[in-house]
Amino acid sequence: MKNYLEKLINQEDLTVAEMKDAANHCFTDTITDSEIASFLTALQVKGETADEIAGIVEVIRSRSSFNTAHIPNAMDNCGTGGDKSYSFNISTTSAFVIAGAGIPVAKHGNRSISSKTGSADVLEHLGVSLSFTNDHVEEMLHENKIAFLFAPHVHAALKPFSKVRQELGLPTIFNAIGPLTNPVSLDSQLLGVYRPDMVQMLAEALRKLGRRRAIVINGAGEMDEASLAGDNKISLLDQGNITTFTLHPEEVGLPTYPNEQIRGGDAIDNATILQNVLNGQKDAYYDTVLLNAGLGLYANGSAETIKAGIELARESIESGAAMERLQYLIEYSRKIPSEVM
């Protein structure tokens, strides 16, 4: 570890292999909290690269207790958090819309980071279990096209890092890699990040991790979701090629709204917003979900254009398919024995 720390302090990047070796060392009994803290801090000060992100993600995924069979065409649409926009649960709501359009969504999430309510908080309030087993996840992805993977549950081995991160109280590489550590083998991904300078770099990391298609987006107002407030910066990964462009909502037939109009609240408030959107209530929340779900369907490749993805998203809501996915998840959770919950 000392050699890697010296390289980072000297502003030298680690290769994928070096990063995997260093990350694996962090899980050994000989590592100290101060070494882990120094490692994370040195990475942050130098600035993480796509190779370093890919390396640590591969190690974390390999240590997950989850090892699902291959789910054809599976995707995720989890953002990094950290934008401090206090928006409603955009990606969580959009996940049900994407699933309603027939795409398997392995929704990876956690409790609140930058908003008042994280995906786990709002889903728990609605009655969704945070303790699904490997078999549960596989069954739901096949039968319901959506399952929720609570990050602390599927990554229990990360406790050494969690303790150090809490004590540090500073941003680390973990603030960017959460959505990449989904233990399900993903074919495609929609990834939001609050830092515009990380958009292309995360697309490069996704390429190294083997995604067929992906979109990395920084929303107007530096949100970690697509925003209706103005231009969104996007990097599209398609079959190994990355292109970067901007997208304004008016280009795809959607109105503009200031980000203040999509603020959320506590778990109760955000659960109500989520249900209202899935029930087809037209407002800024609804249009924001259309944009994000549409981008997800385009990222997956099931829509040939972003505008076509938005129309598929609208159909998913208006047909009731998106709400059916949520209701199935709630009912499935009720059938799980209490000792599993």
Side-chain angles (χ1 to χ4, degrees):
M1 181 61 81
K2 183 180 178 181
N3 291 336
Y4 297 136
L5 282 173
E6 287 178 351
K7 288 192 71 171
L8 295 174
I9 290 169
N10 291 326
Q11 296 292 299
E12 297 177 40
D13 298 331
L14 303 184
T15 65
V16 172
E18 288 174 329
M19 189 62 174
K20 290 172 72 172
D21 187 47
N24 275 315
H25 186 63
C26 290
F27 288 98
T28 64
D29 294 334
T30 58
I31 194 76
T32 64
D33 287 352
S34 60
E35 284 180 297
I36 295 177
S38 298
F39 179 61
L40 295 178
T41 302
L43 269 173
Q44 175 72 13
V45 172
K46 179 188 71 67
E48 302 89 345
T49 66
D51 279 348
E52 290 163 348
I53 286 176
I56 194 171
V57 165
E58 287 186 16
V59 170
I60 291 170
R61 292 187 70 249
S62 72
R63 291 177 176 272
S64 172
S65 58
F66 272 56
N67 184 24
T68 59
H70 178 64
I71 308 295
N73 205 28
M75 72 171 295
D76 191 8
N77 69 328
C78 180
T80 62
D83 64 8
K84 298 181 181 179
S85 68
Y86 305 107
S87 60
F88 76 108
N89 298 98
I90 298 171
S91 64
T92 306
T93 311
S94 301
F96 290 104
V97 179
I98 295 168
I103 308 304
V105 182
K107 185 71 181 79
H108 192 239
N110 209 331
R111 296 198 183 276
S112 174
I113 297 175
S114 59
S115 298
K116 294 180 180 179
T117 309
S119 56
D121 301 305
V122 71
L123 291 177
E124 185 178 49
H125 174 75
L126 288 167
V128 174
S129 172
L130 305 185
S131 304
F132 292 127
T133 67
N134 203 90
D135 290 341
H136 293 148
V137 169
E138 286 190 26
E139 182 179 354
M140 284 185 291
L141 287 175
H142 283 295
E143 299 297 326
N144 191 44
K145 301 301 181 184
I146 187 169
F148 183 66
L149 293 92
F150 182 42
H153 177 60
V154 300
H155 294 300
L158 288 180
K159 287 181 180 178
F161 283 107
S162 302
K163 177 177 179 290
V164 171
R165 290 178 65 205
Q166 188 173 21
E167 291 175 352
L168 273 177
L170 299 170
T172 70
I173 192 171
F174 281 87
N175 292 79
I177 66 172
L180 306 182
T181 62
N182 192 318
V184 174
S185 181
L186 302 176
D187 181 66
S188 59
Q189 190 156 3
L190 173 63
L191 168 59
V193 59
Y194 72 99
R195 283 175 50 185
D197 60 302
M198 293 189 74
V199 170
Q200 187 161 342
M201 188 261 284
L202 286 174
E204 291 171 358
L206 286 168
R207 175 167 57 187
K208 292 176 183 295
L209 291 167
R211 302 292 189 272
R212 176 184 58 83
R213 275 180 65 93
I215 280 179
V216 182
I217 187 163
N218 172 253
E222 299 193 352
M223 289 187 65
D224 73 326
E225 312 276 3
S227 167
L228 296 170
D231 287 330
N232 298 270
K233 182 179 180 181
I234 294 173
S235 280
L236 169 67
L237 167 65
D238 183 17
Q239 304 290 354
N241 299 310
I242 297 173
T243 54
T244 300
F245 57 96
T246 60
L247 176 74
H248 192 279
E250 291 177 348
E251 296 176 47
V252 288
L254 291 173
T256 58
Y257 296 95
N259 286 334
E260 289 74 19
Q261 287 197 31
I262 56 168
R263 287 197 171 171
D266 60 18
I268 298 172
D269 296 329
N270 284 13
T272 299
I273 294 169
L274 184 154
Q275 291 172 309
N276 286 343
V277 170
L278 298 189
N279 281 321
Q281 181 173 305
K282 310 297 191 294
D283 52 21
Y285 300 116
Y286 177 92
D287 288 330
T288 297
V289 169
L290 285 184
L291 177 58
N292 280 272
L295 280 164
L297 290 164
Y298 178 62
N300 173 264
S302 55
E304 292 188 4
T305 65
I306 297 171
K307 198 166 186 178
I310 290 169
E311 291 312 307
L312 286 175
R314 195 190 309 274
E315 182 181 342
S316 173
I317 296 173
E318 299 304 322
S319 68
M323 178 58 85
E324 288 174 5
R325 304 283 75 76
L326 170 61
Q327 291 171 337
Y328 183 105
L329 203 57
I330 295 170
E331 289 300 319
Y332 191 100
S333 297
R334 289 173 180 162
K335 297 174 184 177
I336 297 174
S338 58
E339 62 268 18
V340 177
M341 302 282 282

